[in-house]
Amino acid sequence: MRQHLERALAAALLLSPPLALASCASPAEPERLTAVVRERLDFDPSSFTQGLEVAPGGGLYVGTGMWGESRVYVRGEDGTEGASASISPELFGEGITLVDDHLWQLTWQDGTAFKRDPRTLDEIGRAHYRGEGWGICYREDAGEVLLSDGTSRLRRMDPDTLEELDDRGAVEVTEDGEPVAGLNELECVGGDVYANIFTTTDIVRIDADTGKVTARIDASGLANRAGADPDNVLNGIAHIPGSDEFYLTGKRWPDLYRVSFEPAD
Ligand SMILES: [Ca+2]
């Protein structure tokens, strides 16, 4: 009889995890990753880079800021410049993203987004939004674009009109339960969104549905060879489709780095 009871107890213990373990289970720690340089390419040191995205068929879309200098242009795979479009000198350009048949270009404090033909970059429409615009990326699977504004929030917007999707609400980005402010340039990759943290050399990978940071990526190993100006920080992250690699650059950086994110040790 006693043997029978012992067996039943052992089976019960196997079936249900010990209570102590279950109640202490903490959320998974964010992975610690490092940006490892695979290739360095020449980049335009006059670009105050605010948005970076790989264009269909190769090359990059680059969105730049600063009053009187803001534009969006195509950098071909061979490094030559293709189509380019400037905006009014009183506007300060910010993030860009391609949505199917149009490309969005945000402005910082003007609440205006330019809708452009992705090939010619000609303006084909405008949208207006509340507050500031910093970074933007398109989540095709979710049918939304995410917009950062320098806070810890990512706003969910309609990809065609940039109207806020109030029924979905904004997502608060947290790491170990604490808000992560300064979210800047964005890159959507499947269910993840990558964000530069303003003024730092860190990038975070965020679960786009929950807002939880799932990895913190140290990009401090990338040489910043821009002129000595506190504005010239890491900014610009573009996923290379079909790979685990990314392009990274910064404001007025003369270099573009092709990197992979590897476990830090
Ligand atoms: Ca990007």
Side-chain angles (χ1 to χ4, degrees):
M1 182 66 184
R2 182 175 166 192
Q3 198 176 29
H4 181 75
L5 273 176
E6 278 175 354
R7 267 199 215 130
L9 189 58
L13 281 172
L14 276 175
L15 282 173
S16 55
L19 276 179
L21 268 182
S23 58
C24 289
S26 57
E29 291 272 309
E31 270 187 275
R32 298 282 155 180
L33 303 175
T34 303
V36 176
V37 175
R38 302 297 172 188
E39 186 181 13
R40 189 209 66 83
L41 298 157
D42 289 335
F43 203 63
D44 177 5
S46 72
S47 289
F48 196 80
T49 303
Q50 301 281 35
L52 194 71
E53 192 165 296
V54 172
L60 284 163
Y61 289 117
V62 185
T64 77
M66 275 291 158
W67 297 279
E69 299 175 12
S70 295
R71 64 186 183 124
V72 55
Y73 67 92
V74 175
R75 178 193 183 280
E77 276 188 294
D78 60 357
T80 58
E81 192 175 307
S84 174
S86 295
I87 57 175
S88 303
E90 74 276 15
L91 300 180
F92 193 115
E94 287 281 344
I96 49 124
T97 198
L98 178 68
V99 178
D100 303 327
D101 61 352
H102 59 275
L103 178 132
W104 285 115
Q105 177 188 25
L106 301 178
T107 55
W108 179 25
Q109 295 176 314
D110 306 291
T112 299
F114 295 90
K115 192 179 206 177
R116 299 188 179 278
D117 179 306
R119 197 173 52 81
T120 62
L121 301 182
D122 289 342
E123 183 180 337
I124 53 175
R126 287 189 189 190
H128 300 278
Y129 49 88
R130 289 182 299 108
E132 298 192 357
W134 288 38
I136 186 169
C137 67
Y138 176 40
R139 294 184 72 203
E140 187 173 2
D141 295 346
E144 63 187 21
V145 294
L146 296 174
L147 183 142
S148 66
D149 56 13
T151 68
S152 55
R153 234 175 16 148
L154 294 175
R155 293 148 69 184
R156 302 183 191 278
M157 327 279 267
D158 183 291
D160 198 46
T161 63
L162 279 200
E163 283 170 28
E164 293 205 33
L165 297 170
D166 292 328
D167 54 327
R168 299 190 190 186
V171 61
E172 176 80 4
V173 176
T174 59
E175 183 173 11
D176 300 329
E178 297 294 320
V180 179
L183 302 174
N184 198 1
E185 220 274 303
L186 302 180
E187 187 71 11
C188 291
V189 184
D192 293 326
V193 54
Y194 292 79
N196 293 153
I197 306 297
F198 185 50
T199 73
T200 78
T201 51
D202 277 3
I203 293 166
V204 287
R205 186 185 67 205
I206 303 154
D207 180 316
D209 291 318
T210 66
K212 287 202 169 63
V213 168
T214 58
R216 184 168 279 264
I217 301 151
D218 177 5
S220 62
L222 276 61
N224 176 352
R225 303 193 305 139
D229 181 324
D231 283 342
N232 296 348
V233 292
L234 175 86
N235 202 37
I237 172 166
H239 176 241
I240 302 174
S243 80
D244 296 330
E245 296 186 334
F246 294 79
Y247 289 119
L248 300 180
T249 189
K251 298 175 181 179
R252 303 196 185 100
W253 283 25
D255 306 298
L256 174 74
Y257 297 100
R258 181 166 59 81
V259 305
S260 59
F261 300 147
E262 306 293 341
D265 41 35

